[in-house]
Amino acid sequence: MSPVIEEHARARLITDGPLTRPVPVGLRYDAADDPRTVHITLPGGTDWAFGRDLLERGLRTPIERGSVRVWPCGRTQLIVELHSADGVEVFQFEIRTLIRFLARTRSQAPAAPSADAAREQRPPSRTAGPDRGTQPAHG
C-alpha cells in the first residue's frame, strides 16, 4: 500500500483589490484512492480534486478542464483558477512547490495506465469541509 503524500504549502489568494494575501493550502495525493487524482485543500476546508496531469500540463501551458483553469505565470509562478457556484477563487503558487509535490506523487504512482484509462479522466470536483457544508448558500 502506497503512503499518502501530504504537503502544506502557501499560495497567494488573488483578489479584485490591489493586494494579495498568503493563505495556507494542503496538497494531497493517495495512489490507493485514485492514482490519477491530486487534491488541493483551501482555507475553510474546501477540497478540490482533479487530475494530476492538469497540474503537470499547467506548468508548461494554459489548460482548462471543467471548472479548473491552470496556467504558468512567468518562470516561477503558477495560477490555479477554481470556479464554483460560490464564485471564482484564484491562487498563485510557487512552481517549485508544485514540481516537488508532483515528483513525489510520480514516485508513488502505479505503472502508467492504458490509453483507454487515460481518456477516462475524472472531472474536477469540489467538496466543502464540515463547517462550510452546513451553511446556507448566499445569493
Side-chain angles (χ1 to χ4, degrees):
M1 183 178 234
S2 299
V4 174
I5 296 170
E6 292 183 295
E7 287 192 21
H8 298 284
R10 290 196 90 54
R12 296 200 70 76
L13 177 62
I14 309 297
T15 65
D16 291 339
L19 300 176
T20 62
R21 66 181 172 101
V23 294
V25 296
L27 304 173
R28 185 172 169 276
Y29 174 76
D30 184 355
D33 179 38
D34 184 345
R36 297 172 311 221
T37 300
V38 295
H39 295 260
I40 295 180
T41 303
L42 305 174
T46 302
D47 182 78
W48 282 84
F50 47 87
R52 182 176 62 185
D53 68 310
L54 188 66
L55 280 183
E56 290 172 336
R57 290 181 187 176
L59 291 170
R60 296 180 306 276
T61 187
I63 185 168
E64 178 179 356
R65 187 173 299 142
S67 54
V68 178
R69 294 179 184 151
V70 180
W71 66 92
C73 180
R75 294 177 16 197
T76 62
Q77 305 293 318
L78 181 81
I79 303 296
V80 177
E81 182 177 293
L82 307 166
H83 294 253
S84 72
D86 295 332
V88 178
E89 294 178 292
V90 180
F91 295 89
Q92 182 178 26
F93 287 87
E94 292 287 328
I95 283 179
R96 66 179 174 213
T97 300
L98 295 174
I99 288 173
R100 183 179 59 240
F101 172 71
L102 290 168
R104 290 182 66 203
T105 68
R106 280 191 298 278
S107 71
Q108 295 298 322
S114 68
D116 290 334
R119 277 187 228 116
E120 296 175 14
Q121 290 292 331
R122 183 170 135 183
S125 63
R126 173 183 179 255
T127 57
D131 56 336
R132 289 186 64 180
T134 57
Q135 294 180 356
H138 298 293

